[in-house]
Amino acid sequence: MLEMFKYLVGSAGASGYGSKSTAEEVSESCMNSITAIVTGATSGIGEETARVLAKRGVRIIIPARNLKAAEEAKARIVSESDCFDHSRITVMALDLSSVNSVVNFVSNFESLNLPLNLLINNAGRFCYEHAFSEDGIEMTFATNYLGHFLLTKLLLNRMIETAKSTGVQGRIVNVTSNIHSWFSGDIFEYLGQISQKNSRVYDSTRAYAFSKLANVLHTVQLAHKLQEMKANVTVNCVHPGVVKTNLNREREGFVTDLIFYMASKSRLLKTIPEGAATSCYVATNRNVENVNGNYFADCNDQGSCECKTKSAHLAEGLWSASETIVSTLTGKPQP
């Protein structure tokens, strides 16, 4: 009850920020030497994250499946500042549900010879119908987790090199959701079940919760690997809160709008600037320096992701399974 009260009134936590803090309020300024990739930046939380980072001077890469929507988002971001150089925002093609598209995006990005300081894995999808990617992977899992897993893996060396040459710590932010705790059961058995066409066990909410749990487990295992490598790069995951974004676009209508309207009036629903705050805080704030493998909500550190899931062995197993899937699809063994 006390935690709910603190959330509703926006009471500040140990960081000095709370549920009602906005992305602009929590982010550091003067970041002209920083380059960031923000997935899902064509609308909602991702666009707000990109906008605020751009306002702070960060060079932004917007990967997108819909290039028209990405160019429109870029125009909106540029319009926020008369003095902002539009050339510091680059739109590039990326379909996270496609392994081939991820590989091509990374190749194209590397050809730009840019540094990479921040990787914000924000893009998400909620599939109400049981659908599959071009690679035959269940669509929610492919977009929300597997695409980001491969993207991060392929960009990691560039991030490590950038941190080493500049002395500026690299940061990876995985956007998850507290709905990850709704998933129960054997994750490998469930992955096998939803990977079968005409599966009778498919439930859109459970599939989404599973993909968000996978994001947390990814954070756990990647944090261990970064520590073993002694890399000057960290990874943390964030829960943005409940925000009405295009994630719900497949169920737009009177009932959905009414639910979100009632939630907003009761202050349970965050605004988009509030929803983007935790991502911007973890990506930029000096208080998060050297913090690795933790879970953040309302711009406050909630502790280790490993403790939150109590499943380090699952994180290791999911990483191995993901490498196997990616190797099969690309025809190349993963390093």
Side-chain angles (χ1 to χ4, degrees):
M1 184 64 73
L2 178 59
E3 291 303 314
M4 176 59 74
F5 176 76
K6 288 181 178 179
Y7 174 84
L8 292 175
V9 301
S11 179
S15 68
Y17 304 109
S19 61
K20 302 306 174 186
S21 299
T22 66
E24 286 199 25
E25 292 170 346
V26 305
S27 55
E28 298 285 340
S29 58
C30 300
M31 303 180 69
N32 295 320
S33 63
I34 302 299
T35 299
I37 293 175
V38 185
T39 69
T42 58
S43 64
I45 293 172
E47 182 180 339
E48 177 67 3
T49 300
R51 183 190 73 81
V52 171
L53 291 179
K55 192 172 183 178
R56 300 292 181 244
V58 177
R59 178 188 291 274
I60 303 292
I61 308 296
I62 300 179
R65 184 165 47 95
N66 185 333
L67 295 179
K68 181 176 181 291
E71 290 292 351
E72 290 171 350
K74 174 181 176 178
R76 288 192 295 270
I77 293 170
V78 171
S79 70
E80 288 291 320
S81 175
D82 294 334
C83 62
F84 187 76
D85 181 359
H86 70 89
S87 68
R88 287 179 62 80
I89 301 181
T90 303
V91 170
M92 299 179 68
L94 171 63
D95 179 353
L96 280 163
S97 72
S98 164
V99 164
N100 186 55
S101 180
V102 174
V103 171
N104 288 340
F105 167 80
V106 172
S107 176
N108 291 335
F109 173 75
E110 289 180 338
S111 71
L112 299 177
N113 293 315
L114 290 173
L116 182 58
N117 308 90
L118 302 175
L119 173 60
I120 302 180
N121 292 322
N122 166 83
R125 187 167 184 173
F126 191 112
C127 295
Y128 287 90
E129 304 299 330
H130 192 196
F132 291 86
S133 71
E134 66 179 38
D135 299 312
I137 308 296
E138 190 277 317
M139 187 63 82
T140 305
F141 181 79
T143 305
N144 295 0
Y145 166 71
L146 192 65
H148 282 127
F149 169 85
L150 180 58
L151 179 68
T152 304
K153 193 172 179 61
L154 295 179
L155 290 171
L156 196 56
N157 282 340
R158 177 58 58 92
M159 293 196 73
I160 292 171
E161 290 167 3
T162 299
K164 188 173 182 180
S165 64
T166 63
V168 178
Q169 189 169 75
R171 297 187 187 183
I172 300 167
V173 180
N174 287 334
V175 179
T176 182
S177 166
N178 64 0
I179 202 175
H180 81 268
S181 62
W182 293 14
F183 183 85
S184 61
D186 186 302
I187 65 170
F188 303 108
E189 180 181 350
Y190 182 69
L191 178 58
Q193 291 172 339
I194 63 173
S195 297
Q196 298 174 19
K197 294 184 178 178
N198 302 316
S199 172
R200 295 183 179 181
V201 303
Y202 183 79
D203 175 85
S204 57
T205 301
R206 193 175 186 217
Y208 183 74
F210 171 58
S211 72
K212 296 289 99 178
L213 174 59
N215 292 147
V216 180
L217 296 175
H218 178 215
T219 304
V220 171
Q221 189 63 14
L222 181 56
H224 283 307
K225 289 186 175 294
L226 290 169
Q227 192 171 22
E228 290 171 359
M229 297 164 68
K230 293 182 170 54
N232 190 24
V233 177
T234 63
V235 60
N236 294 285
C237 65
V238 305
H239 166 54
V242 182
V243 186
K244 185 183 180 184
T245 66
N246 281 346
L247 188 68
N248 310 99
R249 59 187 173 271
E250 292 180 33
R251 282 295 186 271
E252 288 182 342
F254 175 74
V255 175
T256 301
D257 289 343
L258 180 61
I259 291 172
F260 277 108
Y261 174 78
M262 293 173 65
S264 66
K265 290 303 179 183
S266 65
R267 296 182 64 82
L268 289 173
L269 191 68
K270 285 188 175 186
T271 65
I272 286 176
E274 290 167 354
T278 306
S279 292
C280 287
Y281 175 78
V282 174
T284 70
N285 200 280
R286 66 190 67 186
N287 292 337
V288 189
E289 189 169 356
N290 298 321
V291 177
N292 189 33
N294 283 15
Y295 187 100
F296 287 78
D298 299 331
C299 302
N300 281 274
D301 192 340
Q302 307 296 308
S304 166
C305 289
E306 192 168 325
C307 293
K308 204 161 187 67
T309 57
K310 299 182 176 64
S311 49
H313 65 289
L314 287 182
E316 186 175 355
L318 181 61
W319 185 284
S320 297
S322 302
E323 286 191 323
T324 299
I325 294 170
V326 168
S327 295
T328 300
L329 293 175
T330 62
K332 297 178 181 179
Q334 297 300 297

